[in-house]
Structures are given as C-alpha cells and as structure tokens.
Amino acid sequence: MEVMRFCQAFMTELCKHIGPETDVPAGDIGVGSREIGYLFGQYKKIKNEFTGVLTGKGLAYGGSLIRPEATGYGVVYFAEQMLKTIGQTFKDKTVTVSGFGNVAWGVIKKITELGGKVVTISGPDGYIYDKDGIDGEKIDYLLELRNSGNNRAEDYAKKYPSAEFHAGKRPWSVKCDVAIPSATQNELDLEDAKVLVENGCLCVTEAANMPSTLDAINYFLDNKVLFSPGKASNAGGVATSGLEMTQNSIRLNWTSEEVEARLKEIMIGIHKACRDYGKEEDGYVNYVKGANIAGFVKVAEAMLAQGVV
C-alpha cells in the first residue's frame, strides 16, 4: 500500500512533464511491473486517456511480449555479431554471467538456445559456479529466485547441491570464452579483467549499465579482447520499449516471434554502426570508439538538418 501511494504521489507531479510524444519513462532497478502498474494507473486517472506513456507495462494493459527478456536477448544478439567478426559462434562456448535478475535471465535463456553453456550467476552475497550449465528447469528457477525478494545467489546452491557457492566473490575468476556482466555498476575491475584475459576470454559484452571500470575497459582494449560498452550492447530493452510504444500506437499486439525478429534486426543494425566506426587498421573492432562516434554522428546529423532552433 505504501509503495502504491508513493507511486501515485510521484506520478501526480511527473504527469505534467511526460507524454507519449514528449518523454516516456520505463522501469529499472527497483521499479518493476508492480510499480509501473501503479504509475500507469495514476497517469490514466489524471489524464483520462490510454496512451503508451510508460513502457514495461503488463500484458493486460498495453505491455509487449518478451519485454522482460528483451535486454538480455539484445545483449546476446549483439555478442553473437561480435563473435562473428572473428569467425566464432556461441555453439559450445562457456559463458560467465553475473546477476540473476531480468537481464541475466534473458541472457542465459538465449545463450542456451544458441548452444552455449552458462556456468555462473551472482548476487550481493557471492557467486554460483555450476559446471553442468544453467539450463532447462534451472533457468525457470531463476524466476523463482528473483521473485523471492531474498536477493541471495546462495539459494541456487541449496536447490542444486552440485553447484558451488563462493561467498563474497565475483564470477570473473572462472575460465570462460565469453563474459557478460549483467548485475550492476563497477562490478568488473582491472584485476578481474587481467584474470579474464589470462584465462583466454575472447569477448566481454556489457549487459548492465557501466559494469566495467575504466581501467578494466582499457585493459581489454589494449589486449585486443572484443569488448562492447553497455551503451551499445544493452540497448535491447530500450529498443523493445520503442516496439511496445509502436504496438500501443497502432492498437495491435505482435506475437513473440514478431517482436523478437524486430529486436534482432535492431541489434544487428546497432552492431553494424559500431563496427563501421570502430574498425581499426589491424582489423580489430574498438566498440567503445565505434559506439561513441556512431551516437555522436547520429545526433550531429539531426542537429544540422534541423537548423538553429
């Protein structure tokens, strides 16, 4: 009840500054489907209209299929394109993932579909190493783990005793082909980067917002490890929010397959822009440079076209 009242009070003021053609908020850490529902309900009450003013809505009132998985799916589609630049795929690759929320869940689902094996998740209490891979019913259990509210990765090891729990540690010491930090800011530092490189990691794709420290990023780039910043690789969530808005505007619900096909197309397009602007003389793709230049060029071209306004 207290959360609902807070959301309603917040939206009473926020509604003056947002709109489907003005600004469209979405959820994030601590703001899930419950909070979005309360916010949307209050907006609709005040404005007396149904519009796509918030994204991440429930399916019963204008939400989109695969929106919960979208960020994770998008990250994997981006990483898949990164691996293609060196003639690799996810097939038979060992992958380390941090976190166990929506993003990590989506990442693990899609990697498993593509033939890879995810062996770690993590929480504030430490990380889980499951040598057999996190797949099948274990992926379904992640939903239960996330919804429990306990915020403990250790519970996974209690459910599946063959998995190892490492208290107070992060998963980057585990040997892997691909690493996907999916938890929170600054969770992968220089020492972690050195261990990943030493262990032969081919690709690091950010799924969280700024999970790698600057020193870690520079170390990956200096050692020619494929590295993508979250500003590019985790755009799938925002992209699917846009697809949700489109569905609201045309008053039509797309199937999961339609939404996912559009999401994949968007992520391939983002990757192409980053690759085109980030490719260096030796063939290595600096995705940090590519993402920054691609974003700047898009904004600059729009500003020049619209004149001094």
Side-chain angles (χ1 to χ4, degrees):
M1 183 65 73
E2 184 178 358
V3 172
M4 181 181 72
R5 287 175 174 168
F6 177 87
C7 290
Q8 289 172 341
F10 182 63
M11 181 53 76
T12 299
E13 177 61 28
L14 184 66
C15 71
K16 303 170 187 176
H17 310 285
I18 63 175
E21 308 298 333
T22 307
D23 199 1
V24 180
D28 207 310
I29 296 174
V31 180
S33 58
R34 177 186 62 169
E35 291 75 24
I36 292 294
Y38 294 152
L39 291 165
F40 184 77
Q42 183 71 355
Y43 182 90
K44 189 156 64 74
K45 175 183 177 182
I46 295 170
K47 295 292 188 176
N48 194 32
E49 62 182 17
F50 182 97
T51 62
V53 74
L54 288 159
T55 62
K57 301 186 292 298
L59 292 175
Y61 58 97
S64 175
L65 290 166
I66 82 158
R67 180 61 185 88
E69 303 98 319
T71 302
Y73 279 18
V75 167
V76 176
Y77 286 139
F78 195 98
E80 184 180 34
Q81 296 302 309
M82 294 173 72
L83 289 171
K84 283 183 179 179
T85 66
I86 56 172
Q88 301 283 340
T89 70
F90 270 110
K91 182 70 174 173
D92 298 326
K93 293 291 188 297
T94 299
V95 184
T96 52
V97 172
S98 60
F100 60 83
N102 269 354
V103 177
W105 172 60
V107 166
I108 295 168
K109 279 185 69 177
K110 186 54 62 178
I111 287 174
T112 303
E113 287 179 22
L114 295 175
K117 182 169 77 170
V118 177
V119 294
T120 66
I121 58 170
S122 70
D125 56 337
Y127 80 87
I128 292 291
Y129 172 62
D130 189 338
K131 61 180 174 52
D132 298 323
I134 302 170
D135 57 9
E137 69 170 37
K138 295 175 181 177
I139 296 177
D140 297 332
Y141 177 68
L142 292 181
L143 287 175
E144 184 181 331
L145 191 64
R146 185 190 68 204
N147 293 330
S148 69
N150 292 332
N151 209 21
R152 290 196 306 263
E154 185 179 8
D155 291 349
Y156 181 97
K158 293 177 180 178
K159 176 76 172 178
Y160 302 103
S162 62
E164 303 171 9
F165 174 64
H166 298 264
K169 295 183 179 180
R170 294 177 289 199
W172 313 124
S173 60
V174 175
K175 187 176 177 60
C176 66
D177 301 303
V178 180
I180 303 184
S182 311
T184 190
Q185 187 172 341
N186 295 329
E187 60 168 303
L188 195 162
D189 61 23
L190 177 59
E191 294 308 310
D192 297 320
K194 289 179 178 178
V195 172
L196 284 167
V197 172
E198 184 179 344
N199 284 338
C201 181
L202 300 171
C203 174
V204 179
T205 307
E206 290 191 337
N209 291 322
M210 298 192 298
S212 307
T213 65
L214 182 59
D215 287 342
I217 292 170
N218 289 333
Y219 193 80
F220 290 135
L221 298 180
D222 290 343
N223 285 274
K224 304 297 182 182
V225 173
L226 293 175
F227 173 82
S228 170
K231 69 181 73 175
S233 47
N234 77 5
V238 173
T240 306
S241 284
L243 298 176
E244 181 179 327
M245 292 167 62
T246 300
Q247 293 171 79
N248 292 160
S249 296
I250 64 177
R251 302 297 193 267
L252 181 67
N253 294 324
W254 291 329
T255 65
S256 295
E257 292 77 14
E258 288 176 302
V259 177
E260 189 170 346
R262 287 176 167 87
L263 169 60
K264 185 173 183 178
E265 183 180 356
I266 290 168
M267 296 311 299
I268 290 174
I270 294 172
H271 177 271
K272 182 180 184 303
C274 294
R275 183 196 63 205
D276 290 349
Y277 285 110
K279 194 166 187 177
E280 299 183 341
E281 291 182 2
D282 61 0
Y284 174 72
V285 180
N286 184 331
Y287 287 94
V288 176
K289 180 176 75 173
N292 287 338
I293 294 175
F296 177 84
V297 168
K298 189 169 187 177
V299 173
E301 288 178 347
M303 291 175 66
L304 290 171
Q306 294 173 39
V308 181
V309 294

